[in-house]
Amino acid sequence: MTAPVASTAPPPSAASGSFLSKLEIDARMLGMLAALAAIWIGFDLLSGGVFLTPRNLWNLSVQTASVAVMATGMVLVIVTRNIDLSVGAILGVVGMIIGVAQVQWLPAYLGLEHPLTAPLAVVLAMVIGGSIGLFQGWLIAYLGIPSFIVTLGGLLVWRGAAWWVTTGQTVAPMDTRFKAFGGGVEGALGATTTWVIAAIACGLIIIALGFSRRRRLRFGFPVRPGWADAVIAALACGIVLAAAAIANAYPLPAGTARRWAEANGLTWPEGGLFIPHGVALPVLIAILVGLVMTFIATRRRFGRYVFAIGGNPEAAELSGINTRWTLMKVFGLMGLLCGISACISTARLNAATNAAGSLDELYVIASAVIGGTSLAGGVGTIAGAMLGALVMQSLQSGMVLLGVDTPLQNIVVGAVLVLAVWVDSLYRRRIK
């Protein structure tokens, strides 16, 4: 008798199937990218080539940042079969509080334009937003009040609280260092920093693909062909480098550039200087938040618990998951992200206004749903929600360029949300 010979066959690969299956790219994500391309091209044609200019695309990225940050948290909320209608109101009340803190409270102790004013305002925003989220999460998880009712009440309560902070008065201006969180000239990182960030991002993309491939080989999971990983790396790095090039193609205004040149001892030539904006700080913050939230959702125990609760709450509880505490943390995280968005929004306006965050809940929920998050729970991606935020903001920006009235803009956004839910229901039926 002979002993059995151990198999030396290589692990299964994704060598068979269509081109898309070999790349393992979600068809829904491709559909969103195609829709985004159609929106951009359509608005560019209708606006006479204004939409796809570096200036408009740079502003579009800054405008998307605030909603994109909140959309990453809304994914987890909806995945657990809940909803948060209060995100815009939380942004509003937090924005008013940190505005008053920078104009009245902190200067009374630290003085005007103190280096600690901006970081303390950001920490205060995250603490207040997170506390509001935890409180609402406690009402939902431990008192059993439906999230729709709690957050609908929160929409009214926090919007009223925002008015009471200053009895409706606008608070301005913000601390000079704090204004960098809103983009603009203060938040533009410049050409050199932008290219460095782009190079680091490309390196991380390649490293991540390598680690993913090695992990799959180690556990015997199917792997993509080598050429497929190369195509994905090339596409991802190409997008990163193209975005950096667009950001660097938008120059500072002539007056600002001249002041910068004089401050740095440069001679102002007759034809002026081309000084690029580079990537905006709020855009970088949104990308970092997206990466962290993706890591939490896909690589941490908390994320697995969230998706388990969304898939089957009863089974998740019977398996030993503390569903109430997990749900409370989900809403606390949502509130913290609202605090970050409040910093971006307030800094971009350079003022705290009572109307800040109005209708943001609509855009945030629509971004998550358009990005593939199912209202039935259990399904959703952070990247999809951020792409959905870009789609929603592109629609709004394009309509503003065309001079569409605000009521009609709201009609279009509402119709797109309904259409996205309908498409999601069709997709789920097809899978079943």
Side-chain angles (χ1 to χ4, degrees), residues 251-333:
L252 293 176
T256 304
R258 185 162 192 166
R259 288 192 296 270
W260 181 89
E262 293 173 352
N264 289 273
L266 299 178
T267 303
W268 184 257
E270 184 177 350
L273 289 174
F274 185 94
I275 303 176
H277 274 78
V279 69
L281 181 58
V283 177
L284 183 60
I285 292 173
I287 293 173
L288 291 176
V289 168
L291 292 175
V292 171
M293 290 295 292
T294 299
F295 178 75
I296 292 174
T298 60
R299 293 282 183 257
R300 306 305 299 169
R301 183 184 304 173
F302 171 72
R304 293 194 291 271
Y305 285 176
V306 168
F307 280 87
I309 292 172
N312 192 324
E314 293 79 12
E317 189 167 4
L318 291 174
S319 66
I321 297 175
N322 190 340
T323 55
R324 292 183 176 181
W325 175 230
T326 301
L327 189 59
M328 184 174 170
K329 287 192 291 185
V330 167
F331 279 90
L333 182 59

Side-chain angles (χ1 to χ4, degrees), residues 106-353:
L106 293 177
Y109 295 96
L110 302 177
L112 292 173
E113 299 294 332
H114 194 277
L116 290 178
T117 298
L120 286 175
V122 174
V123 172
L124 180 63
M126 295 171 65
V127 170
I128 294 175
S131 299
I132 293 175
L134 286 173
F135 173 67
Q136 293 188 154
W138 176 76
L139 294 175
I140 295 165
Y142 288 92
L143 297 189
I145 307 174
S147 61
F148 181 87
I149 299 302
V150 171
T151 57
L152 179 61
L155 185 153
L156 300 174
V157 169
W158 306 122
R159 183 60 65 191
W163 186 89
W164 278 108
V165 172
T166 61
T167 60
Q169 299 178 20
T170 297
V171 179
M174 299 294 102
D175 180 79
T176 302
R177 296 175 181 85
F178 182 80
K179 288 193 293 184
F181 290 97
V185 176
E186 297 84 0
L189 301 183
T192 302
T193 303
T194 299
W195 286 121
V196 170
I197 293 173
I200 293 174
C202 291
L204 292 176
I205 289 171
I206 295 172
I207 292 172
L209 288 172
F211 277 139
S212 176
R213 185 177 185 85
R214 189 174 68 174
R215 193 184 309 114
R216 289 186 174 198
L217 288 170
R218 184 194 310 166
F219 293 103
F221 292 157
V223 295
R224 288 185 293 260
W227 65 263
D229 278 337
V231 169
I232 292 175
L235 288 174
C237 292
I239 292 173
V240 170
L241 295 176
I246 291 172
N248 287 332
Y250 177 34
L252 293 176
T256 304
R258 185 162 192 166
R259 288 192 296 270
W260 181 89
E262 293 173 352
N264 289 273
L266 299 178
T267 303
W268 184 257
E270 184 177 350
L273 289 174
F274 185 94
I275 303 176
H277 274 78
V279 69
L281 181 58
V283 177
L284 183 60
I285 292 173
I287 293 173
L288 291 176
V289 168
L291 292 175
V292 171
M293 290 295 292
T294 299
F295 178 75
I296 292 174
T298 60
R299 293 282 183 257
R300 306 305 299 169
R301 183 184 304 173
F302 171 72
R304 293 194 291 271
Y305 285 176
V306 168
F307 280 87
I309 292 172
N312 192 324
E314 293 79 12
E317 189 167 4
L318 291 174
S319 66
I321 297 175
N322 190 340
T323 55
R324 292 183 176 181
W325 175 230
T326 301
L327 189 59
M328 184 174 170
K329 287 192 291 185
V330 167
F331 279 90
L333 182 59
M334 181 73 255
L336 184 146
L337 294 172
C338 289
I340 296 176
S341 292
C343 293
I344 296 174
S345 178
T346 304
R348 189 163 70 89
L349 294 174
N350 193 26
T353 65

